[in-house]
Amino acid sequence: MSDEIVRVGVIGGGIWGNYHLMAAKELEAQGKVDLAAVSTRTEKSAARQSKAFGIKGYTDYKAMIEKEKLDAVTIATPDHLHREMSIYAMEQGKHVLVEKPMDLTTSGCQAMVNLAEKNQLLLQVDFHKRYDPNNIDARNRVRAGNIGDLQYAYAYMEDKIIVPSEWLAGWAAHSSPFWFIGVHKYDIVRWITGREAISVLAYGRKGMLKEMGIDTYDSVSAFILMDGGMTCTIDVNWILPKQFEAVVNQGLRLIGSKGIIEIDAQDRGLRYCLKSDGNQTPNFSAIFAEETVFGWKSVKGYFVDPIKNFLLNVRFLKSGGSLDRLSGRYPSGHDGLKVTRVAEAVERSMREGNVVFL
Ligand SMILES: NC(=O)c1ccc[n+]([C@@H]2O[C@H](COP(=O)([O-])OP(=O)(O)OC[C@H]3O[C@@H](n4cnc5c(N)ncnc54)[C@H](O)[C@@H]3O)[C@@H](O)[C@H]2O)c1
């Protein structure tokens, strides 16, 4: 196979778009990617990221796609923009990595999947928990039958209140703890167990954030009946005190007839105490390595791995590989659709106070 270089543009240069840019920059240093441009909402942020990464900056993502002769785009914009941007990019023949949640509607996800299939394009969704070695190990054991007949799963994920109130201040009211982090947990349970939801009963609480002028849920608890009789409970919130020792607190428990698997993804063994921050157990897997690439610190960890994986998948396709060969080896549009279907059911159950059957 020839050594093809993937030309990519990033749409969205905020907190997560920054990781997209860093991952692409790292592969550029290895001669595998050409990071061409970034597109953001304002001239100011486009100029900032353009200067920081030494690339072109746009405020019109369509112009970026039209002018830059890209093979692929990665999309890290607020959730409600994912669909229109993905569809436009795929209409222009570009492979797409889209952040989670893929779209806020099942019908939107279906339109995206249909277009990817029609145009024979890679549509990948950034469910990065699948790249966490602990989750990969759990999946191997569950799939090998080590813990027997699955009884129930329990997953939790909790963010500090700075996430909705400061980091996502412009759009947190359009999201919820389930849309923002619950989708990760539902995807990882279905990926590990191979089971899908049959029904959902969910309850959400509003209060703290609403009082701060952000009309969204503080916390959501969802009880999901999965096929084969297994149940899955997911508790999520984004109101942990700002003094908490990490941005995220998260874990997973899987119980079967022959055993139990517990993942404490909050405490991964690294701990420090600083006068500035107090006790810290940094756990969200962004390690900035000492080596630099073009002056950039190389970034390691499970939350940049899927971005690199997408770019290498596009490289595989450019080198003559087929979508069929990649099938099942990355979080696909079909996965994104199944997760959105459950997140929609969670919303509906909270609104109506009923069990929602899928
Ligand atoms: N995979 C993960 O674990 C993870 C973590 C955090 C965020 N995310 C997802 O990433 C996405 C972005 O989140 P974030 O935290 O970076 O948000 P953010 O608010 O920090 O950044 C949003 C970016 O989108 C850009 N944008 C907005 N409208 C645009 C437009 N019309 N054209 C081009 N750019 C536009 C903004 O300029 C900004 O750069 C969300 O979908 C979020 O759910 C995923």
Side-chain angles (χ1 to χ4, degrees), residues 39-296:
S39 173
T40 68
R41 191 172 57 85
T42 63
E43 294 284 355
K44 196 174 158 197
S45 59
R48 189 183 62 242
Q49 292 296 40
S50 158
K51 185 167 173 230
F53 287 88
I55 54 178
K56 282 198 198 148
Y58 289 82
T59 51
D60 178 351
Y61 74 93
K62 293 182 179 173
M64 177 180 85
I65 290 171
E66 276 151 28
K67 288 188 188 151
E68 291 298 332
K69 296 189 168 57
L70 305 173
D71 299 302
V73 296
T74 73
I75 299 173
T77 54
D79 305 348
H80 63 281
L81 298 174
H82 293 174
R83 174 187 3 182
E84 64 170 72
M85 291 173 166
S86 303
I87 296 236
Y88 184 80
M90 289 190 289
E91 279 169 347
Q92 307 305 311
K94 313 302 172 195
H95 300 291
V96 167
L97 171 71
V98 62
E99 270 306 328
K100 57 77 208 164
M102 180 178 168
D103 183 46
L104 300 170
T105 63
T106 305
S107 58
C109 293
Q110 188 66 63
M112 291 160 74
V113 166
N114 292 349
L115 186 56
E117 282 174 2
K118 179 170 158 246
N119 289 357
Q120 283 296 289
L121 293 164
L122 176 64
L123 173 60
Q124 189 161 333
V125 184
D126 189 7
F127 286 127
H128 63 206
K129 306 294 177 210
R130 296 184 181 202
Y131 297 75
D132 178 342
N134 288 349
N135 292 332
I136 294 168
D137 183 82
R139 184 177 195 260
N140 290 341
R141 291 177 197 285
V142 168
R143 296 294 179 109
N146 294 168
I147 70 165
D149 184 32
L150 289 163
Q151 312 278 312
Y152 63 87
Y154 174 61
Y156 62 95
M157 189 159 175
E158 297 155 342
D159 278 4
K160 291 213 273 198
I161 195 161
I162 54 167
V163 172
S165 63
E166 294 175 27
W167 294 6
L168 309 181
W171 57 277
H174 301 288
S175 182
S176 78
F178 202 90
W179 282 114
F180 194 65
I181 47 185
V183 292
H184 271 312
K185 291 294 154 178
Y186 176 63
D187 181 67
I188 202 61
V189 169
R190 59 181 287 281
W191 183 69
I192 288 174
T193 63
R195 309 288 182 91
E196 298 291 348
I198 292 173
S199 67
V200 174
L201 177 63
Y203 180 74
R205 273 187 66 112
K206 288 190 179 182
M208 284 178 63
L209 290 166
K210 203 167 174 189
E211 275 169 25
M212 295 166 72
I214 305 167
D215 188 2
T216 183
Y217 293 98
D218 295 337
S219 64
V220 175
S221 297
F223 182 75
I224 304 167
L225 178 63
M226 317 264 299
D227 55 35
M230 182 195 135
T231 62
C232 166
T233 305
I234 297 177
D235 287 330
V236 284
N237 81 67
W238 51 5
I239 52 157
L240 290 190
K242 66 176 194 298
Q243 296 84 355
F244 188 70
E245 64 198 50
V247 175
V248 176
N249 189 37
Q250 57 179 324
L252 177 66
R253 304 177 74 235
L254 294 150
I255 286 81
S257 57
K258 290 200 258 174
I260 173 171
I261 295 176
E262 291 189 293
I263 297 173
D264 176 355
Q266 199 280 330
D267 182 358
R268 290 172 177 260
L270 175 61
R271 179 167 172 257
Y272 52 78
C273 180
L274 304 174
K275 274 189 179 172
S276 53
D277 299 324
N279 273 331
Q280 294 289 305
T281 48
N283 59 14
F284 204 29
S285 185
I287 307 298
F288 295 90
E290 268 312 301
E291 80 239 38
T292 55
V293 284
F294 296 148
W296 281 90

